[in-house]
Amino acid sequence: CWLRARHYPSRPTVPAAPVVTAEATSSTAATLTWEAVDGATSYNVYMLYTGGEYLHGTTTETSYSVSYLASGANNCFDVTAVNEVGESERTNVCVLTYPAVPQNLAAEVIDASTISLTWDAVNNATAYNIYQGSSQIATNITETTFTVEGLEEGVEYCFSVTSLNATGESAKSTEVCATPATDDRCVVEFILKD
């Protein structure tokens, strides 16, 4: 008799869960990346929020960009691999976005050599950096005010501020300028006598 070997193709199975990494690209955006999973035809990206989740999108690529995120906050996602059999186990990943840009920076001339800077506090920022033009003049300032001293009278100086967190540094604020000058106003006191 003859024996004939027959080859039966293996039945497809649910793909393995992807290995995912996340990187913040701005204060409101991030990119998720993963290695291709054998047998996967697409990937689902779920965004998590307090009390629930939703399907943010589906892609056939091995990266996915997300925008309109909360600035300076942990934003969390689940990613799955999908094929005709079903959906893999979920892989969870969180990313801390950069803090928001400081707003309402103001410069006040104090005297002929001093300017005071103030700005609004940034949610979830741990500190601030101060720039004069393109040069950083102070780092890791934990208050929302900073005094610049030793300036030259009559010279215009321009400043900007950035915010910091564990991920990194925000973009620079809108620049403000001021010129130190002596207050030449005089106070005249009149003494009235009967």
Side-chain angles (χ1 to χ4, degrees):
C1 64
W2 291 86
L3 295 177
R4 179 177 294 176
R6 295 186 178 181
H7 174 71
Y8 294 94
S10 59
R11 298 178 62 182
T13 58
V14 173
V19 178
V20 185
T21 59
E23 180 180 5
T25 54
S26 74
S27 63
T28 58
T31 298
L32 313 180
T33 58
W34 54 88
E35 295 292 331
V37 175
D38 288 343
T41 55
S42 64
Y43 304 89
N44 287 340
V45 178
Y46 299 86
M47 187 167 188
L48 311 183
Y49 59 91
T50 302
E53 65 176 21
Y54 67 94
L55 179 62
H56 193 281
T58 298
T59 180
T60 58
E61 305 297 325
T62 56
S63 66
Y64 188 83
S65 296
V66 190
S67 55
Y68 302 104
L69 300 177
S71 60
N74 265 318
N75 298 266
C76 295
F77 304 87
D78 282 347
V79 181
T80 62
V82 182
N83 65 10
E84 66 272 20
V85 178
E87 189 172 15
S88 74
E89 295 293 323
R90 299 187 175 202
T91 299
N92 178 257
V93 64
C94 294
V95 57
L96 176 66
T97 49
Y98 291 92
V101 175
Q103 300 296 314
N104 297 319
L105 175 63
E108 179 185 3
V109 173
I110 303 302
D111 56 35
S113 62
T114 307
I115 291 174
S116 176
L117 304 176
T118 59
W119 59 91
D120 293 346
V122 174
N123 288 338
N124 303 314
T126 56
Y128 305 90
N129 288 342
I130 314 298
Y131 290 84
Q132 180 182 317
S134 60
S135 300
Q136 186 182 95
I137 60 173
T139 185
N140 289 320
I141 304 301
T142 56
E143 304 296 327
T144 56
T145 182
F146 183 77
T147 300
V148 187
E149 299 177 317
L151 303 176
E152 185 177 346
E153 183 177 5
V155 176
E156 183 180 67
Y157 294 89
C158 296
F159 304 93
S160 58
V161 178
T162 61
S163 56
L164 305 172
N165 67 7
T167 294
E169 184 177 20
S170 74
K172 291 181 180 180
S173 69
T174 300
E175 193 172 67
V176 297
C177 301
T179 303
T182 302
D183 190 344
D184 293 326
R185 293 175 296 177
C186 296
V187 176
V188 180
E189 181 179 6
F190 294 91
I191 301 175
L192 299 180
K193 294 183 178 181
D194 293 334

